Amino acid sequence: TAPIHSAFHHPHMAAEHLSEEALQARVAALRKLSKADVVPAVQEIVQAACLGEPFTIFRTVAGAGRAIGYKKAVTLQMAPTGEGAPTIVSEAAVVFGATACDLPAATWRGTRVLEMGCGSGYAGVLLAALGAKVTMTDLQHAAELALAAVALNSTVIKVPASAVFGVWDWSMPGKENSGAAAVGESLLADIASADFIVAADPVVDR
């Protein structure tokens, strides 16, 4: 099984947001998952996303609903390649998305998110559906699928949330690219103003 790599960083979010018991529970859960070659719930979403079929995720809500454990269903869909080949959505992106959905609703609402290596757009579109203003970045070859994913899910991305794509080669981070003009700013400005920088399996072995 390929290793799962996913992460998000926030300059103001500290580990004390989780109690010791919650941290231990997550560690135990990860240890249990690491013993399985396939996690059924993750694999179901991966398969649906790769085939361009709708799938449903569940997000936390604000207020009293969160206190009683209520979660809101959100249906997303990834864009098919149009070439007969499946869209690539990694297990890491799905696990990252589940983690993001489990955080308090206010975590993402209205925040600026920069995604490194968005691929087909799974994580970026999901975060936009959670209320974030997302700038997805990747090489030129990812542009068509990422933009198509944004268009397919436009009805669940509610203003002021948004998702845009900019071409950016992170092996040359100092080279400004005009591909981020969709929001009227350069990518450098988006990087500088980001509240979160996220990456879900941005490097693919070929």
Side-chain angles (χ1 to χ4, degrees):
T1 302
I4 292 178
H5 305 288
S6 62
F8 67 84
H9 170 72
H10 188 291
H12 306 298
M13 180 172 284
E16 56 264 23
H17 282 266
L18 291 175
S19 67
E20 181 64 25
E21 291 78 9
L23 286 172
Q24 291 298 329
R26 287 195 176 188
V27 170
L30 288 171
R31 285 175 175 166
K32 183 178 180 180
L33 289 177
S34 69
K35 296 178 181 179
D37 288 332
V38 176
V39 180
V42 172
Q43 195 63 22
E44 286 175 11
I45 293 179
V46 168
Q47 290 178 349
C50 289
L51 294 174
E53 299 174 351
F55 56 91
T56 301
I57 58 173
F58 293 87
R59 55 171 295 178
T60 58
V61 297
R66 178 171 173 81
I68 63 173
Y70 173 75
K71 293 194 174 185
K72 181 179 180 180
V74 179
T75 300
L76 302 175
Q77 184 175 4
M78 303 307 297
T81 62
E83 301 174 355
T87 299
I88 297 175
V89 175
S90 71
E91 291 90 344
V94 174
V95 171
F96 172 87
T99 301
C101 287
D102 200 41
L103 292 172
T107 303
W108 305 109
R109 191 177 299 128
T111 58
R112 291 183 176 273
V113 176
L114 173 72
E115 183 180 9
M116 302 170 62
C118 69
S120 57
Y122 181 94
V125 165
L126 184 149
L127 292 178
L130 296 181
K133 301 174 181 178
V134 185
T135 299
M136 303 184 296
T137 64
D138 209 320
L139 301 179
Q140 181 62 51
H141 66 77
E144 183 177 355
L145 278 180
L147 290 170
V150 172
L152 270 176
N153 296 283
S154 59
T155 58
V156 296
I157 300 175
K158 309 293 186 182
V159 176
S162 61
V164 297
F165 176 86
V167 176
W168 188 269
D169 184 349
W170 284 98
S171 69
M172 298 182 292
K175 182 180 179 181
E176 187 170 0
N177 192 300
S178 60
V183 289
E185 304 174 353
S186 70
L187 262 177
L188 289 179
D190 285 342
I191 293 169
S193 64
D195 299 303
F196 288 89
I197 298 174
V198 304
D201 207 16
V203 179
V204 178
D205 294 328
R206 297 187 183 280

